[in-house]
Amino acid sequence: MHETLWKLHFPEFIASNDKVIKQLMDAAIMVTLPARQQVFYPGKICDNYLLILSGSVKAQIMSTDGREILLYHVLAGDSCVLTTSCLLGNNNYPAEGYTETEVSAFAIPAHIFHRCLEQSTFFREFVFRNFSQRLADVIKRMESISFGSVEQKLAKALLASGEKTLHKTHNELALELGSAREVVSRHLKRFESYGWLSLSRGAISNINFDALHKISHFNDQS
């Protein structure tokens, strides 16, 4: 049953003392996926409710001009908001998901998910609480992509790490911001010319938090 993994990542399941939850844990299948593997795609049927144990999955959509737009990341201890939505609405996936690293997860078959949702108050509360939290994160992210200049969004993304050195490529930042790599590169080079950061292959260092903070809040102060 992989009780140790349940206890480590989802201790509330162990503590619930719910017979239905015990059946769910027994039915869960441990799966491991390699990095950069497609997990789902538009139109795919949702067969399992996934609870991530380790690694990271990114969910994204394609814009009309062919750009990838990141929706959210699913990390250890998380459930996927699109998976939950598809299971609850009996719909197919509307977006695509890829593993960013090797991923381990508990896969709970759809029929077990629905039975436990019907029979267990604990599981219903867990599912809807996580769904609500993840959905709020997605909405917040879409707002950040839709509003504000690329310059502001880039400054906020650089500040979000809290580190003086950020190990991300220009393409990864562009994906997060819903912008084009060339646009992000142009703004980063301008930031570098101002002395706000230093660019190297796969990394952005010497980030000036004070300067970027002022840029990220420019519209808020005007």
Side-chain angles (χ1 to χ4, degrees):
M1 189 181 68
H2 305 291
E3 185 172 341
T4 301
L5 291 173
W6 281 105
K7 190 176 295 184
L8 178 62
H9 298 285
F10 300 97
E12 61 269 49
F13 280 67
I14 297 290
S16 70
N17 294 317
D18 186 325
K19 291 182 180 179
V20 177
I21 294 303
K22 173 67 163 59
Q23 294 171 5
L24 178 146
M25 291 191 292
D26 288 342
I29 303 165
M30 177 79 171
V31 296
T32 301
L33 302 173
R36 295 179 294 281
Q37 177 169 313
Q38 189 173 54
V39 182
F40 52 83
Y41 53 84
K44 184 180 186 297
I45 296 173
C46 183
D47 296 318
N48 297 287
Y49 181 66
L50 297 178
L51 296 172
I52 305 298
L53 300 172
S54 64
S56 173
V57 176
K58 66 177 179 180
Q60 62 186 35
I61 56 175
M62 297 291 290
S63 68
T64 54
D65 60 358
R67 286 185 292 112
E68 297 174 344
I69 299 177
L70 179 70
L71 295 175
Y72 58 87
H73 297 281
V74 191
L75 306 174
D78 288 346
S79 58
C80 174
V81 65
L82 281 178
T83 298
T84 305
S85 174
C86 291
L87 285 169
L88 292 175
N90 194 29
N91 297 315
N92 296 346
Y93 281 102
E96 57 186 9
Y98 290 88
T99 56
E100 296 183 293
T101 63
E102 182 177 272
V103 169
S104 295
F106 282 135
I108 300 163
H111 71 280
I112 300 293
F113 170 85
H114 287 295
R115 188 179 74 195
C116 292
L117 197 67
E118 179 182 341
Q119 298 178 358
S120 172
T121 300
F122 165 84
F123 189 58
R124 278 197 303 275
E125 291 177 350
F126 174 85
V127 168
F128 286 110
R129 181 174 63 251
N130 280 271
F131 180 69
S132 176
Q133 290 172 349
R134 299 283 83 77
L135 184 59
D137 292 341
V138 173
I139 291 172
K140 187 181 298 182
R141 171 162 181 76
M142 290 302 98
E143 287 177 341
S144 71
I145 290 175
S146 300
F147 302 104
S149 66
V150 173
E151 190 174 67
Q152 285 179 297
K153 290 185 285 187
L154 179 57
K156 288 179 180 179
L158 294 172
L159 290 168
S161 70
E163 301 290 337
K164 284 286 187 179
T165 298
L166 181 64
H167 295 285
K168 283 189 178 180
T169 65
H170 296 192
N171 193 59
E172 287 172 329
L173 279 171
L175 175 60
E176 289 186 12
L177 300 178
S179 184
R181 182 188 60 78
E182 294 80 5
V183 173
V184 168
S185 294
R186 188 162 60 245
H187 282 282
L188 284 171
K189 288 174 183 176
R190 193 163 82 255
F191 286 179
E192 184 178 42
S193 73
Y194 296 159
W196 294 350
L197 49 79
S198 300
L199 298 175
S200 58
R201 187 176 181 83
I204 302 167
S205 56
N206 301 318
I207 298 173
N208 186 325
F209 290 156
D210 290 337
L212 294 180
H213 184 79
K214 291 176 183 177
I215 291 295
S216 68
H217 289 80
F218 180 78
N219 280 352
D220 298 338
Q221 298 169 352
S222 60

